[in-house]
Amino acid sequence: MPRVPSISPATGTSTPDYYIHTTCSNFVDSHGRTLLLRGVNLSGSSKTPAGSQTQVLENFWEDAEAGGKQFIGRPLNLEDGSADVHLARLKAWGFNMLRYVVTWEALEHEGPGKYDFEFMDYTVRVLRKCAEYGFKVFIDPHQDIWSRFTGGSGAPYWTLIACGINPRHMTATQSAIVHCEYPTAQFPDPASLPAMLWSTNYGRLAAQTVFTLFFAGRDFAPKCVIDGVNIQDYLEHHFFTAFGHLADRIRDAGDLLDACVIGWDSINEPFEGFCGNPDLANAETTHNATLKKGTQPAIIQSLRLGMGQKQTLENWKFTAIGPRRDGDVIVDPKGRKIWLDPDVEKDGLNTRWGWTRGPEWKLGTCVWAQHGVWDVHASEFTNPFYFASSPARPNEPVSFVETYWKAHWRKYVQRIRQSHPEAIHFVQPPVFVEPPPLDEKDDLRGRACYSGHYYDGLTLVTRHWNWFNADALGILRGKYKWMLQGIRIGEPAIRKCIQEQLGILKKDTELIGAYPTLIGEIGTPFDMDGKRSYGYTDNGKHTGDFRNQQKALDASLNAADGPNCINWTVWTYCPDHTHAFGDGWNMEDLSLWSPDDLGQWRIMAMAMVRAPAQAALRLRLPRGRERNVPSASSSAATLLRPELRSPFSFARPGKNMAAVAAAGKKSTSTLSLATLGPAREGEAAAPTSLSAWDNPLDFVLDGGRAVPAFSRPYPVATVGVPVHMEFDIKKARFTLTVRVTPEDGLMKPQRERRCEDGHEDTHYLDHADADAHHDHGHAAQGLGEWKDPPDVMPTEIFLPLVHYASQSLVARSMMQHRGVGADGDYDGQDQDLGSNTPTDPDIDDIDFESPVSSYISATSTLALAARSSLDVHVEVSHGRTEVEGQYLKWWYDVPARGEVEYSVTITRLGGPIKFGEGEGGGDGDGTVGRGLLRRLRGVVCSRIVSFVSPAFLHQ
């Protein structure tokens, strides 16, 4: 890794020690170590105001028309202390990065130019809480299908009125499927909304129209003028200004930029609308493809429905063998139009929202009819090629990304930089679309990251972990002559295929430069197979069994390992998730945790296969000592806030963890889970504080779903560059290979001191000039004398408790929850374990004054378990290691010339912890006989076709 600069490439100013560089295709810390940033989206719940999940119809329209509801409380409740519990859990899982979800609606719901500064100040407080736990954050301006009022999330209600649309008629005209009005506004049954039906809204009139106006209104809708500017400029101005105000508020906080908030994503999953559609009348074009599920209006039918005309639509259902035609459905709007009634605005003036509409824009008539795309009276296209090229360049096909998205991105980045000059800009073009070339000097300035998304589409739409899958990215990009060539059979082949697809996305980053890759969204549904894991099937036989979800999620996250070694943020973590309505948005169910699953770990405990018993050590820690666990940014940082005890020091029943939190200097809340909702009838209430967990292993697992898949080992900071990493979830075996060059030994910890002339002197020290700084000529004030930095910084590897917990922790968990005796056998009753029972280390029992460490030769191995809550067996090719908390520190020599590769292998001492998972699917090497493949061809291809489409991939 080349030496990192001490001067910012974006601003030319000195960089502080917490500065994260984006160079040589990686995130790099100020010591020159390669960082992996891995975490979660916080949160899917932020798509809706608190208490207003998408299934709730009561006051849905009335609140919007009155100016909307505040989003305070999204994503976390700061008043009752539950925020500390959630953030402690995320940190204990090993996450160090948060993609922080904010919608435009949350910032400007009351009306154009009326900004919710109270929410912005609340956001600053939440970000400060995230900073206390050591998280790095990038802000996600989130949207799906434009707005909650077009069946998604993102933009305020008034933006639809500004576009000349009457949102009240979405359902009647099938312009969008709105969850709370499904299947009809008169007889809603939101719980019956089929999985992924919301994604078909990308093929419906509302989203297609509004995105076209937002990105390309000047070219394709020149008559649409409001307050003297085109609708595109009007909407973009408000979008940029709203997020600009949020950036101002974060800047003015004074302690968040770069230390915690490191950057900004571009608008989530941008959609082209009609832009570039070569032929509106040809339903077979790739541009017009969508998920075949539910009603499927052709574009001309959508336009007719929007004008209140009755239509007969194809209806489709998704079966075990793929999409199947399910008759026709007659949709009769009974004259109701999606277009706003002319009486709403007299002489173009809208008294409710305060704008004046241009005279050429006629309300009550389809905006595309006004621009000559179709004839309302004839109900036919007059120019189906209208969007194939722009009026300014009639002979050139439209490139949405190059022409429209890039222009939008540049204006957005320009506004954010006014408030956050050092921001890392996360470049997110449409899903699976290559990013366009961007100018290094004007656009990127050395501060960028490619942040594409990836989902296993087949698993999403089928809600089942299948024995086959497909190379969706390869098929979309024309890699195969025949679709059958893109099919993969068996789990090994599927896992390899997904890893290759993520490799292609990493390769896409090179189109913008030598920047890091972060998969901004990746995940799997947890409501698989008819919600059997929730006990909805088979008389509850499978309650708490997330084996299939674990396989699916492990396959996706494993793909980020191997030779890819890329960053990710999983979608998602929802504090108010429920089994009944999932994440609270369109029946999506991808949250890694649910209050409804609290206590399910106790079921898992019985299924655990106890590894061979190890001798229990009762270790002592002087009272008053606090336990520190390193993070990616600092090896001396604590896992929790510095003023709180480690989450692995849990109060036994009767201890008050809220009191512990209150004792912290910065603590403003108690550690409580009270906000997770009242208990349902017949159920026990959710725990109200961390005192509910006597065992840290229980804490990381309780309420979590498929935790072993996402709480996985990885190098958070590497001296050199990680070139290959593998984690075998069944064997708890982690291997890492790093490449080290002479440059990796030059960078030293950055030191600051105040000199006699009052300025702060910042230096990077190397071997040659370390001593020279003793003779700098200034006396340090308040920081003590200069000290020689250590010769080499360590590589730090996160070791998840769920895979490497000590035997005593595992035994205690089983015995406490399922009556498992000291011999590991379950006898159906509580055990009197006596004084010889192994117990988990806690804060009073662990001696940190004598860290366990050893110099290891290239051929030796060392079991590092004696002074830790982990039982790990480490083999290294070179160097020495030390376990500290949940991290393995690894020191090794840096070569004087050339390059070397070192490797480390980590397993659990005594064997992996078993959680009752199956042996996995797959058929050996993933191949099948020709005869079987021929028999499977029809089934597989029909299912693959249904999810490999541009519109569906906007997840």
Side-chain angles (χ1 to χ4, degrees), residues 465-642:
W465 177 236
N466 295 277
W467 48 267
F468 66 91
N469 212 301
D471 179 5
L473 183 56
I475 292 172
L476 281 172
R477 294 191 177 180
K479 179 179 179 181
Y480 306 102
K481 182 177 181 180
W482 307 105
M483 183 173 291
L484 185 62
Q485 295 173 298
I487 295 171
R488 300 293 182 266
I489 306 295
E491 190 168 317
I494 293 171
R495 291 167 66 89
K496 180 181 178 183
C497 177
I498 297 175
Q499 190 168 90
E500 290 171 347
Q501 291 179 74
L502 263 60
I504 294 173
L505 294 180
K506 182 180 181 180
K507 186 75 172 177
D508 285 350
T509 307
E510 297 176 7
L511 297 173
I512 65 171
Y515 289 107
T517 304
L518 181 144
I519 304 301
E521 291 185 21
I522 190 169
T524 202
F526 289 95
D527 58 341
M528 289 185 182
D529 304 312
K531 299 188 178 183
R532 75 172 200 163
S533 300
Y534 303 158
Y536 281 38
T537 66
D538 303 301
N539 295 319
K541 174 183 177 181
H542 301 288
T543 301
D545 180 356
F546 291 100
R547 285 177 293 179
N548 288 334
Q549 294 91 331
Q550 181 171 306
K551 293 175 188 176
L553 188 54
D554 177 54
S556 289
L557 298 184
N558 168 77
D561 293 344
N564 292 328
C565 300
I566 53 180
N567 312 271
W568 44 253
T569 48
V570 177
W571 186 269
T572 176
Y573 184 95
C574 298
D576 58 348
H577 176 280
T578 65
H579 286 174
F581 289 99
D583 302 339
W585 184 84
N586 284 325
M587 301 303 293
E588 286 292 90
D589 197 329
L590 285 83
S591 179
L592 300 180
W593 182 88
S594 173
D596 280 2
D597 286 307
L598 286 169
Q600 294 306 319
W601 160 239
R602 304 185 179 198
I603 296 175
M604 292 179 63
M606 184 177 178
M608 292 168 57
V609 178
R610 191 169 182 232
Q614 304 298 323
L617 298 176
R618 192 69 176 172
L619 308 172
R620 304 305 306 173
L621 173 72
R623 295 190 180 276
R625 289 288 305 278
E626 292 186 343
R627 179 176 187 174
N628 291 331
V629 181
S631 69
S633 60
S634 172
S635 61
T638 56
L639 181 63
L640 293 182
R641 305 205 317 268

Side-chain angles (χ1 to χ4, degrees), residues 642-704:
E643 53 273 15
L644 296 183
R645 293 188 172 208
S646 160
F648 306 128
S649 168
F650 283 84
R652 293 185 175 88
K655 289 187 179 181
N656 187 345
M657 288 303 293
V660 176
K665 295 178 181 179
K666 298 181 181 179
S667 178
T668 59
S669 59
T670 60
L671 298 175
S672 169
L673 293 176
T675 57
L676 298 182
R680 288 181 291 275
E681 184 176 355
E683 294 185 359
T688 57
S689 77
L690 285 177
S691 62
W693 296 279
D694 185 49
N695 186 329
L697 183 58
D698 291 350
F699 176 64
V700 299
L701 286 165
D702 205 6

Side-chain angles (χ1 to χ4, degrees), residues 40 124 157 217 271 299 308 369 373 454 457-458 501 611 628 675 682 849 917:
V40 71
V124 166
Y157 173 86
F271 176 52
I299 291 178
V373 176
Y454 181 86
L458 185 63
Q501 291 179 74
N628 291 331
T675 57
E849 292 185 346
E917 70 269 20

Side-chain angles (χ1 to χ4, degrees), residues 62 71 104 215 236 313 375 411 454 501 542 545 624 736 791 795 833 864 938 954:
E62 292 79 3
F71 281 65
W104 180 7
F215 283 111
E236 281 192 324
L313 308 181
D375 184 283
K411 287 181 284 186
Y454 181 86
Q501 291 179 74
H542 301 288
D545 180 356
L736 169 67
D791 290 337
T795 287
L833 301 176
L864 303 174
H954 287 276

Side-chain angles (χ1 to χ4, degrees), residues 47 60 64 71 102-110 141-161 163 210-211 214 235 238-239 242-243 267:
K47 295 182 180 185
F60 178 73
F71 281 65
V102 180
T103 64
W104 180 7
E105 182 188 2
L107 305 175
E108 200 179 3
H109 54 83
E110 193 173 345
H142 202 88
Q143 74 78 35
D144 306 273
I145 328 171
W146 186 256
S147 169
R148 284 197 296 144
F149 311 100
T150 54
S153 67
Y157 173 86
W158 56 262
T159 61
L160 294 169
I161 308 298
C163 290
V210 178
F211 277 102
F214 181 67
L235 293 174
H238 282 281
F239 176 82
F243 280 95
I267 189 170

Side-chain angles (χ1 to χ4, degrees), residues 25-225:
S25 302
N26 289 290
F27 293 109
V28 181
D29 69 11
S30 60
H31 309 309
R33 295 185 299 177
T34 300
L35 302 179
L36 272 185
L37 301 180
R38 292 184 166 182
V40 71
N41 282 260
L42 189 70
S43 156
S45 300
S46 298
K47 295 182 180 185
T48 65
S52 299
Q53 295 182 335
T54 58
Q55 72 271 12
V56 180
L57 179 57
E58 183 178 3
N59 294 324
F60 178 73
W61 300 112
E62 292 79 3
D63 286 340
E65 291 162 350
K69 298 176 67 175
Q70 285 191 309
F71 281 65
I72 291 175
R74 297 300 199 193
L76 299 172
N77 188 322
L78 294 178
E79 304 304 319
D80 63 357
S82 61
D84 286 287
V85 177
H86 293 304
L87 292 172
R89 181 179 291 113
L90 296 177
K91 198 68 179 178
W93 284 342
F95 295 157
N96 58 13
M97 181 69 146
L98 300 176
R99 183 173 183 249
Y100 193 93
V101 176
V102 180
T103 64
W104 180 7
E105 182 188 2
L107 305 175
E108 200 179 3
H109 54 83
E110 193 173 345
K114 298 179 179 180
Y115 302 103
D116 193 337
F117 293 109
E118 186 178 359
F119 170 77
M120 296 182 199
D121 291 339
Y122 155 81
T123 299
V124 166
R125 294 196 300 275
V126 177
L127 291 172
R128 279 186 170 138
K129 180 73 69 174
C130 296
E132 290 173 10
Y133 285 82
F135 287 107
K136 299 300 182 184
V137 174
F138 68 109
I139 307 297
D140 162 35
H142 202 88
Q143 74 78 35
D144 306 273
I145 328 171
W146 186 256
S147 169
R148 284 197 296 144
F149 311 100
T150 54
S153 67
Y157 173 86
W158 56 262
T159 61
L160 294 169
I161 308 298
C163 290
I165 288 174
N166 181 356
R168 288 270 194 167
H169 292 167
M170 289 289 173
T171 300
T173 61
Q174 291 270 297
S175 295
I177 301 295
V178 179
H179 185 195
C180 60
E181 290 190 338
Y182 183 83
T184 67
Q186 294 75 26
F187 304 102
D189 181 16
S192 67
L193 183 76
M196 297 307 301
L197 188 66
W198 67 267
S199 70
T200 67
N201 282 331
Y202 281 110
R204 300 179 190 272
L205 182 60
Q208 290 171 325
T209 294
V210 178
F211 277 102
T212 306
L213 297 179
F214 181 67
F215 283 111
R218 285 194 304 273
D219 280 353
F220 295 116
K223 295 181 180 180
C224 296
V225 173

Side-chain angles (χ1 to χ4, degrees), residues 877-894:
S877 62
H878 176 78
R880 68 180 179 91
T881 61
E882 174 184 317
V883 171
E884 185 175 332
Q886 281 189 268
Y887 290 80
L888 176 75
K889 292 184 176 183
W890 179 21
W891 289 268
Y892 39 75
D893 292 330
V894 174

